[in-house]
Amino acid sequence: MKFNLSTSTFLLALLATATLSSCDDNDSDAAPDVAATEQEHRYVRVLVSDEQDTKLTQITPFDASVTSFNTKFPLANLYTTASGRFATVLYQSQNMVEVFDTGLESHVDHVDVKGTPKWAAITANGAKPTHFKSKGTESLIFNDGDGTLSVGNDADFHTPGATFKTINAGLLPHHGAMAQFDNGNYAVTVAPTSGASPTSVRVVSSTGSLVHASTLTTGSIHGNATDGQNAVFGCFTTSANTSGSVLVVKQSGEQRLIANPADFGAFRLASVYYAKAANKFIGYVATKGAYFIDLGTDRITPIYTGNDAIQCKVDQAGSNLLILTLDGKLRVYDLATGTLRKEGQAIPATPAADTYKPVLEATERYAYIAVPTLGEVHQVKLTDFGSVTKHKVSARPVRLTVAGFESSTSH
C-alpha cells in the first residue's frame, strides 16, 4: 500500500490525538508522586486533640495547612480505622464515640477525594469506651463501664442516625481488651468480678456467643494485638503479679504463655503492637523498653532496653519502630532486622513528672510528635532529625493519630 504525504500526516495526527485522549482519560487528575523527594505524601493527614479545648485539628503535612473542627468534649482519644479514611474519636468520661471522615478513599494504586473533611453521622454511647481495634472495614470498641463491645462498619458511618451495634458477650465491667480474628470471631478478656483485673481470655462470635472457653488463667492483662490468626496479650503470669508473660490465643482457641526474659522482673509488656509489613509482634513497657515477641520460637528478645522511653510506636506501614525517650531523643529501628537505623535529638527533654508527655506517630518519611507544653506538632524528617516543621495546633495537644494514605497519586 502506498501513502501520500497528506495521508501520512493525517494518520500521525490521529495517532497523537488518540494518545493524548488516552492520557486525558486515565490521568487527567493525577498528581505526580513525590517518592523522588523527601516531602510528605500528599494524602497523609495528622489529627490532634487537646487536653482542655473542644477542638480536633487536622494537619495536611504536604502543604502545611491546618484546619480545626469543633468536638463535643476535650481530651478525646483518637484512633485511625484500618481503612485509613476515618478516625474514631472516643470521649471516655462522657460515654460517647464519634467518627471523623478525612474525605480520602484508597483504591490501592490511587487515592480519591470523596468530599471535604467532616464529622460522620454514626455515634456510639457504650459506658466508658476505652480499647479500640479495627480490621478491614470494621471498627471494634471495648466499653470498660459495662463489659460490652461496640462494632461499626465504614459503610454505615454516614447513614443518618446510625449507631454502633452493641455486642453483649456476658462480660462483667472491667478494663478489658479484645482482638479480631480473620474468621470473624473475637478474643476478649474476662474478669472474675466486676471491676477486677481480667485474668483470662475467651473467644466469642460476632454476636457474643461463646466459641472457645479460656484454658489459661493469668494475672492482670493489658495491651494486645493480632495478625488475624493469633492474638497476643501482655499479662502477669499469675495473680501474684510477680513476673510477666504474653498470652497467645490462636483463632482455633488454643492458648499458651511465652515468658518474659529471665531478668525482666515484676513487669508485663503493657502495650503490644503488630507490625504488618515486617510481620512481627512488639511488646513495650516504659519501665523496661521494647521487645520482639517471636511466636515461632516462643521467645521475647530486646530491641531497646531502658526505663526512659515515653513513646514506642510502629510506623503507618509497619516497617519501622520508633522510640522517644525523656531526653528528647528519637530512635528508629528497622523491624525486618531489629537494627538501629538512626538516633538523635528530636525535641527538647521532657520532665518525668509531666502528666501529659509528648505523643508520637510516624510515616515512612516523618515522625509526628505532639508537644503539649508548646502547643505544637513537630514534623521530624526521619533522614535528618535537624529538619523540623513545627505546626501550631492548640494550647495543649495531647492525643495524635495519623490517617490517610502514604500516596500522592490521584485518579
Side-chain angles (χ1 to χ4, degrees):
M1 181 180 293
K2 295 183 179 179
F3 291 91
N4 59 33
L5 182 59
S6 59
T7 302
S8 300
T9 303
F10 170 77
L11 289 175
L12 288 171
L14 183 63
L15 179 61
T17 302
T19 302
L20 288 172
S21 297
S22 176
C23 290
D24 287 345
D25 288 343
N26 293 326
D27 304 312
S28 59
D29 297 322
D33 194 1
V34 292
T37 76
E38 293 185 335
Q39 188 175 4
E40 183 59 279
H41 291 282
R42 183 182 298 272
Y43 296 116
V44 166
R45 301 291 183 266
V46 179
L47 300 172
V48 190
S49 65
D50 193 84
E51 179 192 0
Q52 301 165 341
D53 198 359
T54 53
K55 179 188 293 186
L56 177 73
T57 303
Q58 176 179 279
I59 304 168
T60 302
F62 183 79
D63 60 11
S65 61
V66 176
T67 310
S68 295
F69 303 84
N70 292 328
T71 60
K72 294 290 192 298
F73 306 98
L75 204 59
N77 291 320
L78 306 176
Y79 302 96
T80 300
T81 62
S83 66
R85 174 173 174 173
F86 300 96
T88 308
V89 182
L90 277 61
Y91 308 106
Q92 187 184 58
S93 299
Q94 292 80 20
N95 303 329
M96 185 178 183
V97 174
E98 290 187 294
V99 173
F100 183 79
D101 183 2
T102 64
L104 304 175
E105 183 176 87
S106 175
H107 293 275
V108 183
D109 63 338
H110 70 277
V111 176
D112 284 346
V113 178
K114 303 296 290 187
T116 58
K118 57 185 173 294
W119 291 103
I122 199 167
T123 59
N125 58 3
K128 201 175 181 181
T130 302
H131 205 73
F132 176 86
K133 294 293 179 183
S134 185
K135 179 179 176 60
T137 60
E138 181 185 83
S139 293
L140 192 66
I141 300 166
F142 194 98
N143 301 304
D144 284 5
D146 58 16
T148 64
L149 301 172
S150 296
V151 60
N153 195 285
D154 285 12
D156 301 321
F157 285 178
H158 282 296
T159 301
T163 59
F164 278 63
K165 182 178 73 172
T166 299
I167 299 173
N168 192 333
L171 306 176
L172 295 173
H174 67 278
H175 184 47
M178 71 293 174
Q180 297 147 297
F181 289 123
D182 286 343
N183 63 7
N185 293 331
Y186 308 133
V188 294
T189 56
V190 180
T193 58
S194 181
S197 296
T199 56
S200 61
V201 173
R202 68 175 60 151
V203 178
V204 302
S205 71
S206 59
T207 62
S209 61
L210 180 66
V211 177
H212 300 293
S214 59
T215 61
L216 288 174
T217 299
T218 71
S220 59
I221 295 170
H222 194 280
N224 76 291
T226 181
D227 61 2
Q229 301 292 315
N230 306 277
V232 179
F233 296 80
C235 65
F236 287 107
T237 306
T238 69
S239 58
N241 290 352
T242 56
S243 64
S245 301
V246 296
L247 172 64
V248 182
V249 181
K250 297 180 71 172
Q251 186 171 250
S252 62
E254 178 186 332
Q255 301 188 8
R256 72 184 189 276
L257 288 171
I258 302 175
N260 287 349
D263 60 350
F264 208 81
F267 300 97
R268 64 183 174 185
L269 295 170
S271 297
V272 180
Y273 307 109
Y274 175 65
K276 186 175 181 179
N279 189 27
K280 291 184 178 180
F281 286 95
I282 299 98
Y284 159 74
V285 61
T287 47
K288 299 296 289 186
Y291 295 76
F292 281 123
I293 302 168
D294 191 333
L295 303 192
T297 62
D298 283 356
R299 294 181 61 210
I300 296 174
T301 56
I303 303 171
Y304 172 80
T305 57
N307 62 0
D308 59 347
I310 57 175
Q311 287 279 281
C312 172
K313 293 293 179 69
V314 175
D315 69 4
Q316 193 177 36
S319 299
N320 299 299
L321 184 74
L322 290 87
I323 295 175
L324 181 67
T325 48
L326 283 169
D327 57 6
K329 286 186 178 179
L330 182 66
R331 294 169 176 83
V332 182
Y333 292 86
D334 181 346
L335 287 175
T337 62
T339 56
L340 178 65
R341 295 181 58 186
K342 190 173 180 62
E343 69 176 322
Q345 198 73 27
I347 61 170
T350 300
D354 281 5
T355 301
Y356 292 103
K357 297 177 177 63
V359 289
L360 165 73
E361 295 291 345
T363 64
E364 65 175 343
R365 295 177 179 174
Y366 288 91
Y368 296 92
I369 306 171
V371 186
T373 56
L374 300 177
E376 297 171 342
V377 171
H378 291 195
Q379 178 183 342
V380 182
K381 184 182 291 186
L382 294 182
T383 56
D384 176 11
F385 290 175
S387 177
V388 180
T389 302
K390 298 178 180 180
H391 303 276
K392 182 65 180 178
V393 287
S394 60
R396 293 276 298 172
V398 293
R399 302 285 187 266
L400 182 76
T401 191
V402 173
F405 309 96
E406 293 187 80
S407 171
S408 297
T409 306
S410 60
H411 183 61

